[in-house]
């Protein structure tokens, strides 16, 4: 190719040796293993510019793929800065944006009519709900969102309705299909027929249909292989099965050798999205898929101190499924990681608030991050920071008391205290769905307004005037009145438990918490709300429901800072990927939390959790604080926590126990309890997952659940058992989400 010398300056001058190697290798497949903070974005944008300016590739023959619009914009901006306006002719975009462009150009070959529309999540769920009704499936039994997620998983794996209906597949987890997966497989063909009739596609179609079209029309594929002579992929560790297949199809050019025009950049140690379809195998198997692959390791870190990198390196080296690499830095070693061992989750939150205040003396608040494994953990930190008048923001989530399911329950409670609260009434009268629609609610509000009373108060006298909704309104009134009667003598906690028991609000999420990520998150938030009420009742002189609502009202109005003001950042570790801070406080390092209970009995799951902890550590530039609570409230039960196995994997010489912490011996596999009130002294060991046991083998065995604690199996069926928990009663739980104990 003819070189283009029009680029000003030396394109490679600001690259280190490994980065330069990755950019200059253009005659064979390149896998760039870019460790945290090693300059991966610089490599991919410099290479795109190098291909055009030095190797003679026309910019329009270059395809750069990434995952978010923000990343695509940043990539294009940097390329224009390096290459000039010619970079605008390159195709730079997300996988789905590029897929949509291809489908628009060849809609008829993809089985679509011109002018097809792309449905968003809400539209897709509306279609699925109609399909469920048409197939005699009650949308109240399983949420349409769960079916939508499963159909998306089918498409991520390249499975059309025919393959799924044939049954020659296994569940996403590798286990036998769940009842939800079977249902999604049954509804999939009907869903596709209805979408076709409306000339609509969902986001899964934007790649699945392109791959399907390329398989059916090889000449069309060959045209795109000639069009895009070089393909660059960012965040390759996050690609799913269909994305990996599309990439391999585009670079399968026999003239140059398979993959010769391909560079992928990623870090297998930061592969943390398997729950949304990412396949770490794509990056692990790259050298096997492309025999002539050139592997470049970017190991020089420009972000963190030496001690942080060494500790993170020792941790991640325990993973077996990874490419070997070791991050290093030319900067000073820095301070040791600080481990803060607290007696309770409330003490943990208070210690974190104190850390933020002390670190904030020398560090801007927006350079301090509090990281946690699940969104539900934010509640105590929000309260502790609020009490200290420390401004904060919740990133990648919503403030705890502003989350929809929490606001729903608070609306129920406000209506109990104040039956005239029409706003609360309208919010909850049909949650969960009771068949009380907006027309019925509007008519009742009209009748109540004419009488000068609240809508809830008007039900006994006005419901008869609303023929279609009368029975449902009276049932709702009877249910809530029976709960409200408890207020005269019961605590707020007792009222909330009765509300959950009689309203059905919690059970709508509980039955699908193990299979539906969104339902699991909402369920966890409701568990945390109960913990909030239980804590309030323990410390308040007045444990009434009204007093609790007064406290919550004050909490939700504490933060009145403007967006321009300095705030500490609260976020999950997943949301923190790609970000960096001077100080990172990583919380909740306990078994069942980090690693999460859904992952800790599966080797692949534990490795992903370890990668997640690695990501958390490497967000910090200068200081890392790690916290662990010896007891944590689940529901209204105080549960004793085992230290996370990851704490034992950190090098003892790189970790300092924070002043005032409980004693802890680094490297110990287990440690005994010395907290007052622990009846057993030693936490029962998990001996195996329950999955695989017959019902007769399981009956009478003691098990642990992540939210409800320890209980005993008393009945049920093979896949879903009935467990008796001392503090919450009997619950039906999918057996694969229980752990068998040895005592």
């Amino acid at each position: 190719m003819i070189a283009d010398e029009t680029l000003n300056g030396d394109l490679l001058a600001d690259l280190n040796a490994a980065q330069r190697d990755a950019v200059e290798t253009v005659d064979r497949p390149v896998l760039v293993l870019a460790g945290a903070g090693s300059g991966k974005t610089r490599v991919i944008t410099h290479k795109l510019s190098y291909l055009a300016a030095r190797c003679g590739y026309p910019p329009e023959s270059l395809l750069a793929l990434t995952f978010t619009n923000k990343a695509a914009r940043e990539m294009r901006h940097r390329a224009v800065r390096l290459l000039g306006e010619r970079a605008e002719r390159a195709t730079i975009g997300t996988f789905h944006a590029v897929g949509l462009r291809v489908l628009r150009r060849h809609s008829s070959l993809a089985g679509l009519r011109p002018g097809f529309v792309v449905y968003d999540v809400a539209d897709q769920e509306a279609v699925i709900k109609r399909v469920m009704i048409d197939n005699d499936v009650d949308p109240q039994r399983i949420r349409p969102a769960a079916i939508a997620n499963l159909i998306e998983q089918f498409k991520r794996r390249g499975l059309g309705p025919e393959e799924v209906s044939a049954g020659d597949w296994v569940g996403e987890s590798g286990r036998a299909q769940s009842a939800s997966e079977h249902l999604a497989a049954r509804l999939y063909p009907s869903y596709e027929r209805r979408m076709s009739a409306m000339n609509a596609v969902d986001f899964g179609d934007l790649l699945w249909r392109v791959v399907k079209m390329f398989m059916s029309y090889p000449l069309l594929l060959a045209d795109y292989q000639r069009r895009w002579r070089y393909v660059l992929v960012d965040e390759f560790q996050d690609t799913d099965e269909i994305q990996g297949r599309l990439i391999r199809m585009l670079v399968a050019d026999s003239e140059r050798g398979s993959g010769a025009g391909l560079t992928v950049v990623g870090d297998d140690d930061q592969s943390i999205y398997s729950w949304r379809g990412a396949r770490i195998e794509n990056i692990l198997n790259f050298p096997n898929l492309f025999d002539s692959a050139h592997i470049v390791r970017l190991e020089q870190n420009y972000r963190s101190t030496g001690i942080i990198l060494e500790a993170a390196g020792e941790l991640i080296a325990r993973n077996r499924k990874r490419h070997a690499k070791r991050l290093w830095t030319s900067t000073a070693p820095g301070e040791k990681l600080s481990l803060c061992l607290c007696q309770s989750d409330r003490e943990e939150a208070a210690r974190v608030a104190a850390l933020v205040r002390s670190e904030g003396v020398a560090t801007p608040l927006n350079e301090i991050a509090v990281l946690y494994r699940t969104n539900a953990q934010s509640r105590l930190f929000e309260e502790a920071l609020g009490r200290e008048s420390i401004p904060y923001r919740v990133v990648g989530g919503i403030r705890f008391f502003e989350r929809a399911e929490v606001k729903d329950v608070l609306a129920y409670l406000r209506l109990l205290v104040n039956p005239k609260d029409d706003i609360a009434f309208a919010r909850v009268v049909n949650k969960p769905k009771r068949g009380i629609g907006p027309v019925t609610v509007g008519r009742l509000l009209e009748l109540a307004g004419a009488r000068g009373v609240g809508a809830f108060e008007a039900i006994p006298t006005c419901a008869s005037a609303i023929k279609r909704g009368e029975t449902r309104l009276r049932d709702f009134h009877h249910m809530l009145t029976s709960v409200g009667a408890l207020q005269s003598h019961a605590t707020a906690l007792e009222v909330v438990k009765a509300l959950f028991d009689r309203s059905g609000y919690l059970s709508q999420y509980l039955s699908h918490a193990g299979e539906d990520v969104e339902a699991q998150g909402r369920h966890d938030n409701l568990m945390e709300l109960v913990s909030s009420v239980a804590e309030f009742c323990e410390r308040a002189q007045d444990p009434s429901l009204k007093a609790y609502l007064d406290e919550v009202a004050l909490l939700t109005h504490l933060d009145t800072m403007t967006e321009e003001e300095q705030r500490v950042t609260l976020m999950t570790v997943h949301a923190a990927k790609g970000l960096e801070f001077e100080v990172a406080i990583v919380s909740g390092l306990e078994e069942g939390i980090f690693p999460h209970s859904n992952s800790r009995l599966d080797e692949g799951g534990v490795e992903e959790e370890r990668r997640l902890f690695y990501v958390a550590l490497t967000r910090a530039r200068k200081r890392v604080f790690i916290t662990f609570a010896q007891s944590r409230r689940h529901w209204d039960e105080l549960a004793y926590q085992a230290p996370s196995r990851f704490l034992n994997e950190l090098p003892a010489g790189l970790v300092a126990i924070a002043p005032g912490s409980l004693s802890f011996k680094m490297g110990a596999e287990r440690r005994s309890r010395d907290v007052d009130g622990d009846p057993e002294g030693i936490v029962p060991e998990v001996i195996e997952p329950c999955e695989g046991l017959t019902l007769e083998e399981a009956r009478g065995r003691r098990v642990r659940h992540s939210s409800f604690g320890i209980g005993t199996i008393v009945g049920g069926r093979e896949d879903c058992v009935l467990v008796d928990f001392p503090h919450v009663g009997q619950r039906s739980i999918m057996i694969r989400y229980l752990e068998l104990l040895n005592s």
Side-chain angles (χ1 to χ4, degrees):
M1 293 185 178
I2 301 173
D4 181 350
E5 297 297 339
T6 61
L7 188 71
N8 293 325
D10 185 352
L11 183 62
L12 307 179
D14 59 344
L15 303 181
N16 64 35
Q19 292 170 337
R20 183 185 292 255
D21 183 19
V23 168
E24 291 183 307
T25 303
V26 298
D27 58 347
R28 50 184 171 149
V30 179
L31 168 61
V32 182
L33 296 171
S38 62
K40 70 175 181 62
T41 305
R42 171 180 292 186
V43 165
I44 204 164
T45 53
H46 275 67
K47 183 150 194 175
L48 186 147
S49 302
Y50 181 84
L51 288 165
R54 296 288 184 263
C55 301
Y57 281 89
E60 54 269 22
S61 72
L62 304 176
L63 170 65
L65 296 168
T66 187
F67 281 86
T68 67
N69 290 321
K70 180 181 177 181
R73 287 193 298 270
E74 174 65 15
M75 193 181 297
R76 181 175 295 278
H77 174 74
R78 292 197 188 192
V80 168
R81 194 170 60 196
L82 290 168
L83 189 60
E85 292 303 317
R86 288 177 302 151
E88 295 285 2
R89 288 156 34 203
T91 302
I92 302 174
T94 66
F95 279 93
H96 289 91
V98 172
L100 177 58
R101 189 180 310 178
V102 173
L103 288 180
R104 290 284 184 209
R105 189 174 291 137
H106 310 285
S107 56
S108 60
L109 297 182
L112 300 167
R113 299 185 295 281
F116 66 85
V117 295
V118 182
Y119 275 5
D120 62 17
V121 173
D123 294 332
Q124 182 187 14
E125 290 175 11
V127 174
I128 289 173
K129 182 177 180 180
R130 173 49 53 191
V131 168
M132 294 172 77
I133 293 171
D134 290 346
N135 285 268
D136 297 321
V137 177
D138 183 2
Q140 302 303 311
R141 183 168 67 86
I142 182 168
R143 297 165 59 247
I147 299 299
N149 178 62
L150 289 166
I151 289 177
E152 181 180 2
Q153 288 182 23
F154 295 151
K155 292 182 178 181
R156 284 179 180 274
R157 299 174 64 191
L159 298 170
E162 300 81 11
E163 295 95 331
V164 171
S165 298
D168 54 351
W169 57 282
V170 295
E172 181 70 17
S173 63
R175 297 185 289 260
Q177 305 97 303
S178 68
S180 297
E181 287 170 325
H182 276 297
L183 178 58
R186 180 161 72 85
L187 298 176
Y188 192 7
S190 298
Y191 168 74
E192 286 298 303
R193 286 193 295 270
R194 183 170 285 272
M195 291 288 284
S196 177
M198 294 183 292
N199 199 29
V201 298
D202 57 36
F203 270 85
D205 285 318
L206 301 184
L207 298 179
W208 173 66
R209 284 184 179 270
V210 171
V211 168
K212 185 179 176 182
M213 181 174 65
F214 282 163
M215 292 174 65
S216 300
Y217 299 97
L219 292 179
L220 179 65
L221 171 60
D223 180 59
Y224 274 94
Q225 290 171 339
R226 289 188 295 270
R227 181 191 304 257
W228 289 321
R229 301 296 290 162
Y230 209 100
V231 179
L232 303 103
V233 185
D234 192 18
E235 301 287 6
F236 187 64
Q237 78 282 346
D238 293 337
T239 54
D240 58 28
E241 189 165 334
I242 200 70
Q243 289 163 338
R245 191 183 303 182
L246 177 61
I247 293 165
R248 293 192 296 274
M249 294 175 85
L250 289 174
V251 301
D253 185 339
S254 58
E255 293 182 10
R256 295 180 295 165
S258 180
L262 174 65
T263 291
V264 301
V265 182
D267 183 7
D268 49 311
D269 290 337
Q270 297 187 73
S271 179
I272 57 175
Y273 296 119
S274 67
W275 50 274
R276 69 182 188 196
R279 287 176 55 82
I280 192 174
E281 291 79 8
N282 286 346
I283 192 168
L284 293 179
N285 295 336
F286 189 92
N288 299 325
L289 292 170
F290 302 101
D291 294 339
S292 61
H294 179 56
I295 301 177
V296 179
R297 289 173 170 80
L298 303 185
E299 297 174 308
Q300 183 174 2
N301 178 280
Y302 295 94
R303 175 189 301 158
S304 305
T305 65
I307 283 181
I308 292 174
L309 295 179
E310 186 177 352
E314 288 289 335
L315 172 88
I316 202 64
R318 292 175 177 264
N319 273 8
R320 295 195 296 175
K321 295 181 178 179
R322 66 184 296 263
H323 291 288
K325 57 185 128 6
R326 192 79 176 189
L327 294 181
W328 61 276
T329 181
S330 59
T331 63
E335 298 185 43
K336 290 183 178 182
L337 281 63
S338 181
L339 181 57
C340 184
L341 303 164
C342 307
Q343 199 161 22
S344 69
D345 49 359
R346 290 194 66 82
E347 182 189 331
E348 177 190 44
R351 293 288 294 269
V352 165
L355 278 173
V356 169
R357 183 165 295 289
S358 62
E359 290 296 308
V361 172
T363 304
L365 285 181
N366 62 0
E367 284 289 352
I368 302 174
V370 179
L371 307 179
Y372 35 80
R373 177 62 180 81
T374 65
N375 276 309
Q377 291 171 254
S378 77
R379 193 263 304 178
L380 285 172
F381 298 125
E382 291 183 50
E383 292 183 3
L385 292 168
R387 282 192 292 269
E388 295 293 322
S389 299
I390 299 173
Y392 67 89
R393 59 181 181 139
V394 179
V395 175
I398 304 170
R399 291 172 180 270
F400 182 81
F401 288 106
E402 294 175 4
R403 293 168 190 166
E405 60 278 7
V406 174
K407 291 186 73 172
D408 285 349
V409 175
L410 292 176
Y412 263 116
L413 300 178
R414 290 196 343 252
L415 189 58
L416 289 173
V417 170
N418 176 20
K420 296 183 182 294
D421 190 337
D422 284 350
I423 300 300
F425 170 79
R427 184 179 182 99
V428 303
V429 67
N430 202 37
K431 291 182 180 179
K433 294 187 183 299
R434 302 181 174 91
I436 303 175
V439 174
T440 298
V441 173
R443 177 60 176 152
L444 180 62
L445 287 168
E446 180 183 331
L447 293 170
R451 289 165 171 77
V453 297
F456 182 76
E457 295 175 305
I459 290 176
T461 57
C462 296
S464 58
I466 310 173
K467 298 299 183 184
R468 294 186 62 183
E470 179 181 2
T471 301
R472 292 164 182 158
L473 284 171
R474 292 190 186 280
D475 288 345
F476 174 73
H477 187 271
H478 175 74
M479 179 275 294
L480 208 56
T481 300
S482 68
V483 177
L486 299 174
Q487 293 184 78
S488 62
H489 59 276
T491 66
L493 178 61
E494 291 167 330
V495 174
V496 170
K497 284 185 173 182
L499 175 67
F500 278 163
D501 184 53
R502 301 176 195 180
S503 69
Y505 191 87
L506 176 63
S507 60
Q508 67 179 325
Y509 300 120
L510 178 61
S511 57
H512 304 297
E515 300 175 356
D516 181 341
V517 173
E518 183 182 349
Q520 178 72 59
R522 293 183 186 277
H523 168 265
D524 290 348
N525 288 335
L526 294 174
M527 293 292 99
E528 188 62 27
L529 179 61
V530 175
S531 297
S532 166
V533 179
E535 291 165 4
F536 168 80
C537 290
E538 284 183 359
R539 58 183 165 77
Q541 290 184 336
D542 177 6
S544 69
L545 179 59
K546 185 178 184 302
Y548 174 72
L549 289 175
D550 287 345
E551 176 168 294
V552 170
L554 292 173
L555 282 172
T556 55
H557 286 85
L558 277 173
D559 186 12
T560 58
M561 305 295 175
T562 65
E563 286 300 320
E564 289 72 28
E565 291 179 282
Q566 292 285 322
R567 303 175 180 216
V568 63
T569 300
L570 274 61
M571 64 200 314
T572 66
V573 183
H574 280 104
K577 184 174 176 291
L579 303 178
E580 58 184 77
F581 303 89
E582 289 288 292
V583 178
I585 303 172
V586 189
S587 64
L589 264 293
E590 302 141 40
E591 287 293 305
I593 294 181
F594 207 167
H596 195 275
S597 58
N598 288 351
S599 307
R600 59 184 174 150
L601 294 179
D602 169 70
E603 182 181 359
V606 170
E607 290 213 348
E608 178 153 336
E609 292 289 300
R610 187 177 287 113
R611 292 193 292 270
L612 194 59
F613 187 36
Y614 170 85
V615 167
L617 296 177
T618 54
R619 295 314 89 198
R621 290 193 288 267
K622 292 184 178 178
R623 298 209 66 186
V624 172
F625 296 89
I626 302 169
T627 66
F628 154 61
Q630 197 172 44
S631 65
R632 191 173 291 274
R633 188 176 294 279
H634 295 282
W635 188 257
D636 67 328
E637 174 187 8
L638 194 64
Y640 293 96
Q641 303 293 109
S644 169
R645 68 193 71 186
F646 301 150
L647 295 180
N648 298 321
E649 296 172 0
L650 295 173
L654 304 181
V655 180
I657 305 298
S661 292
L662 299 174
S663 61
F664 183 79
K665 182 179 180 181
M666 296 296 296
E669 290 299 323
R670 286 277 179 183
R671 71 191 189 99
S672 61
R673 303 295 185 194
D674 57 2
V675 178
D676 293 341
D678 182 357
E680 296 178 338
I682 301 292
V683 174
E685 294 278 358
V686 175
I687 58 175
E688 60 179 303
C690 286
E691 193 172 19
L693 294 181
T694 67
L695 182 56
E696 287 306 312
E697 291 171 332
R699 191 187 298 273
R701 302 295 294 272
R702 296 181 73 228
V703 293
R704 178 189 289 135
H705 182 265
S706 60
S707 296
F708 300 131
I710 295 174
T712 303
I713 296 176
V714 295
R717 58 180 191 272
E718 298 295 327
D719 60 337
C720 185
V721 294
L722 188 65
V723 183
D724 185 31
F725 297 97
H727 294 275
V728 298
Q730 295 186 352
R731 294 287 188 272
S732 292
I733 307 286
M734 297 295 290
I735 197 166
R736 68 173 179 265
Y737 299 109
L738 296 171
E739 302 165 342
L740 194 63
L741 303 180
N742 66 354
S743 59

